[in-house]
Amino acid sequence: GEIVSESEFDAVYAANDIVYYPEGLDFTFGEGTEEDAHSAEEAAGHMVVHITEPGTYTVSGTLSAGQIAIDLGEDVENNPDAVVTLVLNDVDITCTVAPAVIFYHVYECGDDDVDAATKDVDTTAAGANVVIADGTENNVSGSYVARIYESYELNEEGTEVIDSKKLHKYDAAFYSCMSMNVSGGSEGTGVLNILAENEGLDSELHLTLNGGNINITSGNDGINTNEDEVSVTTVNDGTLNIQVTGETGEGDGIDSNGWLVINGGTVTAQA
C-alpha cells in the first residue's frame, strides 16, 4: 500500500534506468544490428523495479512497460547469504527493450571450471530463485540486449573489432547471470508463461527446474544455459512446454552448453 521508493539505497526502488541497446550507434559500441536497437523514447517508457537486498519478494499485478532487476552488488558472487527468492503471484510483466526479469549479481553456487565439470550439480543454495505460486497464472513478455562492449580492440584499418570485453549481453526474456532455480509451490499448480522476442529462459551457468507449469514461446532458443562444457540444465519435476518460432534465430528447444539432465516431470519441445 506504499508508493515505491526512488532511492537507490532502499531494498526496493524504481528508476527509469533500463539497460538496452540504443539505436544510431556505430560498430564500436557493440554487436547489435538495427534490428536489435531501440529508441531512447521507447526505453524511457520503461520503469525498472530494483531489488537490492537478500530476501523473499512476492510480486503481483501488472507492469505494462518495465523490468524487475535483482542486483545485490558486484562483490556478492561468493557470499552464500546473497540470496533472493522471487515469488510470482499472478504477475504480468511486459518489456520491449530488454529482459522482463533479470538477476544480475547474487550468490553463485556453481563453478565454471571446465576440468571439474560434471552433470551432477546441486543448485539448492543458488542466489537466484523463482517460485511460481500455486493457483496463479503469471505472464512474462520480454526482449533482449545484444552484446555491448566495455572495451574493444580494432584491426589496423580501424574497420573491425577483433577483440572485446563484454559489458552487457542478455539474450532472454527471463535471464539470470548466475545459477538459478525455478520451482512450483507445494502443489505445483502455478503457471509461468514466457513470451520471448529472442530466447526464453536463460542462465549463464546452471538452471534447475523443480516444478510448476512453464510454457515458453520464443523467437530463438526456448531455454539456454551458456557456459560451454560446464552448464547443466536439470528438470526434476513439473511440466515444461516449449515452442520456438525461429523468428530471431535458428532456435533450439533446450540449448544446454554442458549437460541436460531430466530426472522427472514432462518436457515437450518443438523447435
Side-chain angles (χ1 to χ4, degrees), residues 21-263:
Y21 201 99
E23 63 183 5
L25 298 174
D26 68 16
F27 71 96
T28 62
F29 181 78
E31 295 179 358
T33 65
E34 185 177 341
E35 289 74 24
D36 303 316
H38 301 274
S39 70
E41 290 75 17
E42 182 184 5
H46 287 72
M47 178 66 70
V48 181
V49 178
H50 293 271
I51 294 173
T52 67
E53 294 182 7
T56 298
Y57 299 81
T58 299
V59 292
S60 60
T62 300
L63 185 58
S64 59
Q67 178 189 73
I68 296 179
I70 297 93
D71 193 342
L72 305 188
E74 294 184 1
D75 58 349
V76 302
E77 184 174 339
N78 297 315
N79 180 357
D81 295 325
V83 176
V84 167
T85 298
L86 192 68
V87 181
L88 305 180
N89 184 31
D90 281 325
V91 71
D92 194 327
I93 306 170
T94 300
C95 185
T96 64
V97 300
V101 178
I102 185 166
F103 286 82
Y104 284 111
H105 299 102
V106 292
Y107 173 58
E108 177 51 73
C109 65
D111 191 329
D112 61 2
D113 181 1
V114 173
D115 294 332
T118 172
K119 67 177 177 61
D120 301 309
V121 299
D122 182 2
T123 62
T124 305
N129 299 278
V130 178
V131 175
I132 310 166
D134 285 331
T136 66
E137 182 160 358
N138 303 276
N139 301 299
V140 173
S141 177
S143 186
Y144 62 98
V145 179
R147 183 183 178 100
I148 297 172
Y149 300 140
E150 180 177 26
S151 60
Y152 60 87
E153 179 184 349
L154 298 178
N155 61 5
E156 291 184 1
E157 295 78 18
T159 58
E160 182 182 353
V161 174
I162 57 175
D163 193 20
S164 66
K165 183 177 180 181
K166 179 184 74 172
L167 179 61
H168 298 291
K169 183 178 185 289
Y170 314 114
D171 291 331
F174 205 123
Y175 194 91
S176 181
C177 298
M178 307 291 174
S179 294
M180 175 168 58
N181 299 306
V182 181
S183 307
S186 58
E187 299 176 4
T189 58
V191 177
L192 171 59
N193 301 313
I194 298 175
L195 178 61
E197 182 180 357
N198 190 42
E199 296 180 358
L201 178 62
D202 282 18
S203 170
E204 291 192 12
L205 194 53
H206 304 309
L207 173 66
T208 302
L209 306 181
N210 293 311
N213 303 282
I214 303 172
N215 304 306
I216 300 172
T217 302
S218 60
N220 204 324
D221 299 339
I223 286 177
N224 194 337
T225 45
N226 296 333
E227 190 68 29
D228 289 343
E229 302 181 58
V230 176
S231 285
V232 182
T233 301
T234 304
V235 182
N236 289 321
D237 199 358
T239 300
L240 174 63
N241 294 303
I242 297 172
Q243 293 255 353
V244 177
T245 66
E247 292 178 4
T248 54
E250 182 179 277
D252 303 313
I254 300 176
D255 180 355
S256 185
N257 288 0
W259 287 268
L260 170 62
V261 178
I262 301 177
N263 295 313

